[in-house]
Amino acid sequence: QSGHYGREHYYYTNNLRMLRLLTVSTLLTIALSLVETEFDFGGTDKNDIENQLRENGFSAEAIGKLLQEDDKDLEKLIKEMEEEVDVSWNEAKGYDECEEFMWWKRKDGYKNWKKDVDDEREDGYEIGNEIEEEETVGQYKRERGGYHGKSHHGKQGSKSWADKKKSCKPKPLDQICAEIECAPHEKLNISGCGFEARKILSAKWVVTTVDTADMAEGYQSSFWRLFKYINGANADQVRIDMTVPVINKWWYDDNGDVTGGQMAFYIPAVHQDAPPAPTDEAVSVEQWDEAIVYDRAFGGNRRDPDYYKKQFMYLWKALDKVGITPFTGMSITAGFTRPGWGRQRNEVMFVDDGSM
């Protein structure tokens, strides 16, 4: 009896935690989708970027400098994309995927696979977001009539299926960190599938709260406060290089209600010993302790809440498979690439319970 009760209690508690995590995941990703078109500071449209900078109080001189830097960055990006060497999905993600998360390998196989593909087509998402094996691409080719962007109606698309498959892979973290400074971290050798374990080393971060009463407005305002800090809104009036990832932390209570949010930029190593003080009272510098996190990575320019929620769910299930229970009072989203600029890498994360 006691063993039966213990199992029931475990599953009840586990399911309750999962429900809370999915509740907050839905809330924060709705916020992300609401601000996508207005906030991302992505893409390559100079007029859009200039308008955003002007609306947020940047001077004409500062805007000119930022646009010139964008031109150089875009030329560099194009060159990198031309020279890019393709890697496997597991190499791109940084871990081996769990077989049960590979929807094309399920027992219900082709019927549900075809429905998922058709649903993605209707929703306007890139086909092949999770197509990882050549046999699956071959199956798609037979169904749709070719790799070269042709649908079953024979219309020519703008991309080949091979290109679409590649564009949806996350950009490998080692490639990103070779191009832009990353927060110091170490990959941990923890057995399992469907996730990566990473130790984030102790360092200083510049942070600001996110007003969760109005997620869309709060999220935008938080980004611009930090962006202004690294562009001279600090006591030394110095410009600070952008780093990755951009971290978003979300705290919530046992009922699944969001109790707070925070956005953070890692402060580059050259400023770690004495980071300039922010001039905005809503911005501060914090020393973060070392922490162990578990992540799942994905590519493509996706912000739809259901997709983020699915990634959080997969991460939770992958950790549960190896007996890891993360801290249930916080979830994290992390962006490693500028939206709309080449290959993307976004991650969902949970923090190890022992790090809190």
Side-chain angles (χ1 to χ4, degrees):
Q1 290 289 335
S2 61
H4 178 70
Y5 170 77
R7 286 193 301 273
E8 282 192 341
H9 179 70
Y10 168 78
Y11 288 122
Y12 171 78
T13 304
N14 206 38
N15 289 336
L16 183 62
R17 287 172 175 166
M18 186 64 181
L19 181 62
R20 291 204 304 266
L21 292 170
L22 293 184
T23 299
V24 74
S25 301
T26 301
L27 290 173
L28 69 91
T29 50
I30 286 173
L32 289 174
S33 64
L34 285 173
V35 302
E36 179 181 9
T37 55
E38 299 178 4
F39 156 74
D40 266 349
F41 195 50
T44 57
D45 190 311
K46 276 192 174 183
N47 291 330
D48 286 346
I49 296 172
E50 183 176 352
N51 288 337
Q52 289 183 61
L53 291 169
R54 186 179 295 109
E55 289 170 2
N56 282 277
F58 284 80
S59 68
E61 181 181 1
I63 292 173
K65 288 181 180 179
L66 286 168
L67 291 179
Q68 286 179 359
E69 291 170 2
D70 262 5
D71 287 340
K72 293 179 181 178
D73 289 343
L74 184 56
E75 291 176 5
K76 183 180 177 182
L77 174 67
I78 293 171
K79 184 178 180 180
E80 289 170 355
M81 291 177 69
E82 290 173 346
E83 297 175 351
E84 188 176 63
V85 177
D86 195 20
V87 298
S88 71
W89 276 80
N90 288 344
E91 288 177 295
K93 291 179 177 180
Y95 52 85
D96 294 336
E97 186 60 284
C98 296
E99 188 164 340
E100 59 265 42
F101 300 161
M102 301 179 186
W103 47 263
W104 62 92
K105 288 190 174 183
R106 294 197 301 251
K107 288 183 179 179
D108 50 11
Y110 179 75
K111 181 179 178 181
N112 278 4
W113 169 80
K114 184 175 181 299
K115 182 180 184 301
D116 286 344
V117 169
D118 289 341
D119 287 346
E120 284 196 351
R121 178 178 293 281
E122 287 181 13
D123 291 340
Y125 302 134
E126 288 184 298
I127 309 301
N129 189 64
E130 291 180 310
I131 296 179
E132 302 186 14
E133 296 186 353
E134 288 304 318
E135 61 183 303
T136 310
V137 178
Q139 183 181 12
Y140 192 92
K141 179 182 178 182
R142 290 190 295 273
E143 172 66 17
R144 296 301 187 189
Y147 286 113
H148 301 292
K150 293 182 180 179
S151 72
H152 57 298
H153 297 298
K155 295 180 180 179
Q156 186 71 28
S158 59
K159 280 186 178 181
S160 70
W161 293 122
D163 287 339
K164 286 192 174 185
K165 180 168 75 79
K166 179 179 176 181
S167 68
C168 293
K169 289 180 185 176
K171 188 170 185 176
L173 187 57
D174 59 350
Q175 289 184 19
I176 294 171
C177 295
E179 298 165 4
I180 186 171
E181 186 172 353
C182 292
H185 63 276
E186 298 173 0
K187 183 172 182 175
L188 301 179
N189 186 22
I190 295 180
S191 61
C193 62
F195 72 93
E196 179 188 50
R198 194 180 297 156
K199 180 189 289 184
I200 308 298
L201 303 183
S202 178
K204 294 184 178 72
W205 295 67
V206 58
V207 305
T208 188
T209 57
V210 178
D211 181 5
T212 56
D214 184 349
M215 280 284 204
E217 177 62 31
Y219 198 81
Q220 291 186 58
S221 298
S222 297
F223 172 81
W224 286 111
R225 285 196 293 271
L226 297 182
F227 191 73
K228 288 177 182 178
Y229 170 79
I230 67 172
N231 279 279
N234 54 68
D236 296 344
Q237 297 183 340
V238 295
R239 291 192 64 193
I240 300 170
D241 289 340
M242 186 68 189
T243 60
V244 293
V246 175
I247 289 287
N248 303 294
K249 293 182 177 181
W250 308 92
W251 290 272
Y252 38 96
D253 58 25
D254 288 344
N255 297 319
D257 296 324
V258 178
T259 59
Q262 185 186 68
M263 185 180 292
F265 291 1
Y266 165 68
I267 295 176
V270 68
H271 295 289
Q272 274 289 310
D273 290 340
T279 54
D280 187 334
E281 293 182 354
V283 178
S284 60
V285 173
E286 291 183 355
Q287 177 80 43
W288 286 4
D289 294 334
E290 181 179 283
I292 294 174
V293 299
Y294 308 104
D295 71 86
R296 275 186 65 84
F298 54 94
N301 286 286
R302 298 193 67 158
R303 288 294 182 89
D304 48 307
D306 286 343
Y307 192 76
Y308 268 77
K309 185 166 66 174
K310 181 171 72 173
Q311 296 306 315
F312 273 115
M313 180 184 68
Y314 283 170
L315 178 55
W316 179 269
K317 289 182 176 180
L319 294 174
D320 188 57
K321 278 168 62 72
V322 292
I324 296 174
T325 301
F327 177 62
T328 58
M330 180 176 68
S331 57
I332 297 173
T333 57
F336 287 81
T337 45
R338 179 170 167 176
W341 285 54
R343 288 272 294 280
Q344 298 291 298
R345 185 183 186 90
N346 291 291
E347 295 182 353
V348 295
M349 296 180 178
F350 290 135
V351 181
D352 185 78
D353 197 44
S355 295
M356 299 303 296

